[in-house]
């Protein structure tokens, strides 16, 4: 069985689009015909994305700054006068023990991973409520419930995403707008590869397998499509199945 998507005359906003899952999602949505506004702080990554798909518009924006987050959403709206979907993948993870972490590093995680998502939602909601349609995806993590040594800041912000998304779903439901959180599992993104040790990555790969960003995209495409029109307020976990052990 094959699945295809027609996103023509639709606008998709992708935050954190310079690399990883965001980049893969932006390319897939553009290929499906959407007008895509891709934002990130990584200017070189955005330039590479634009070269790969000239149909994608790019904008350098730090979503942890309220005015820049609002400007990015407005830039997406100006493409076709609406925003039909938003995929918010922006995140940082700098591992450090709690008792060694300085205030600035803790605050940086909050600004990007949690407050940044809030700022984008605050800008997106009036647009989608007015058009009475739209789908938003934010990203949580298995670390939100499991934790990990040195990952307290990242895990705490990803747990916060769950509460933010579930509350937003209640507010958006009367307006025909959907929002979900995605827990993508182990994915070879720059955020994961830069934070985990080589031994940790190898161990995960042997036990479960580490996915490529493109492998997450089919789930995202479904969730922002009409095929998921009744799905909102959920944490959609892309759980990996342990690899079989040879006898």
């Amino acid at each position: 069985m094959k699945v295809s998507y027609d996103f023509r005359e639709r606008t998709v906003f992708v935050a954190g689009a310079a690399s990883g899952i965001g980049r893969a999602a932006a390319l897939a949505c553009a290929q499906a015909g959407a007008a895509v506004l891709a934002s990130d702080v990584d200017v070189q990554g955005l330039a590479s994305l634009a070269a790969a798909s000239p149909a994608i518009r790019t904008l350098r924006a730090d979503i942890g700054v309220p005015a820049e987050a609002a400007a990015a959403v407005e830039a997406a709206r100006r493409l076709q006068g609406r925003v039909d979907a938003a995929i918010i993948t922006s995140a940082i993870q700098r591992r450090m023990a709690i008792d060694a972490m300085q205030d600035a590093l803790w605050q940086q995680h909050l600004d990007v991973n949690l407050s940044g998502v809030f700022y984008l939602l605050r800008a997106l909601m009036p647009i989608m409520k007015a058009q009475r349609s739209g789908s938003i995806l934010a990203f949580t993590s298995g670390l939100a419930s499991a934790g990990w040594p040195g990952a307290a800041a990242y895990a705490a912000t990803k747990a916060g995403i769950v509460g933010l998304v579930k509350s937003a779903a209640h507010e958006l439901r009367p307006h025909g707008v959907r929002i979900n959180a995605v827990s993508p599992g182990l994915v070879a993104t720059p955020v994961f590869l830069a934070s985990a040790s080589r031994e940790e990555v190898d161990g995960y790969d042997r036990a479960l397998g580490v996915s490529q960003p493109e492998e997450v995209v089919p789930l995202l495409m479904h969730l922002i499509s009409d095929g998921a029109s009744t799905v909102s307020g959920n944490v959609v976990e892309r759980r990996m199945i342990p690899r079989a052990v040879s006898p």
Side-chain angles (χ1 to χ4, degrees):
M1 294 182 286
K2 295 183 178 180
V3 176
S4 61
Y5 294 95
D6 183 357
F7 289 170
R8 287 174 294 178
E9 300 183 2
R10 297 293 185 265
T11 299
V12 179
F13 169 64
V14 184
S19 63
I21 296 171
R23 178 187 176 91
L27 289 170
C29 289
Q31 187 175 14
V36 179
L37 190 287
S39 76
D40 207 295
V41 294
D42 178 0
V43 176
Q44 290 184 335
L46 289 177
S48 172
L49 176 62
S53 178
I56 297 176
R57 305 284 183 87
T58 62
L59 176 69
R60 193 270 177 203
D62 181 351
I63 67 166
V65 178
E68 293 189 27
V73 171
E74 176 59 19
R77 187 198 66 79
R78 286 200 303 267
L79 291 182
Q80 297 188 120
R82 57 189 295 116
V83 181
D84 297 284
I87 302 173
I88 306 171
T89 70
S90 306
I92 63 167
Q93 183 178 179
R94 311 278 189 267
R95 292 192 181 178
M96 185 174 292
I98 294 172
D99 55 358
M101 185 174 295
Q102 296 181 340
D103 295 348
L105 184 58
W106 171 259
Q107 189 62 51
Q108 187 181 18
H109 282 82
L110 292 176
D111 290 343
V112 176
N113 297 0
L114 186 55
S115 294
V117 178
F118 166 78
Y119 299 144
L120 290 176
L121 289 184
R122 187 170 61 183
L124 285 162
M125 286 173 70
I127 296 170
M128 291 184 171
K129 286 164 70 174
Q131 66 195 29
R132 297 198 63 79
S133 67
S135 178
I136 303 169
L137 300 180
F139 281 72
T140 183
S141 166
L143 297 187
S145 57
W148 195 259
Y154 179 80
T157 57
K158 290 302 180 177
I161 289 293
V162 175
L164 179 59
V165 163
K166 287 185 174 291
S167 297
H170 286 287
E171 296 183 22
L172 291 170
R173 181 179 179 181
H175 305 278
V177 181
R178 300 181 292 111
I179 182 170
N180 291 285
V182 175
S183 181
L186 298 166
V187 185
T189 65
V191 171
F192 172 61
L193 296 177
S195 63
S197 67
R198 183 69 260 172
E199 294 75 17
E200 186 180 343
V201 174
D202 289 344
Y204 281 137
D205 195 36
R206 287 192 300 271
L208 296 171
V210 176
S211 300
Q212 294 302 309
E214 291 75 14
E215 295 179 81
V216 183
V217 169
L219 172 62
L220 309 184
M221 299 287 276
H222 172 68
L223 288 173
I224 65 173
S225 77
D226 294 342
S229 61
T230 61
V231 181
S232 189
N234 292 278
V235 177
V236 182
E237 185 177 14
R238 184 175 170 273
R239 181 178 290 276
M240 306 295 289
I241 300 173
R243 289 180 171 173
V245 178
S246 300

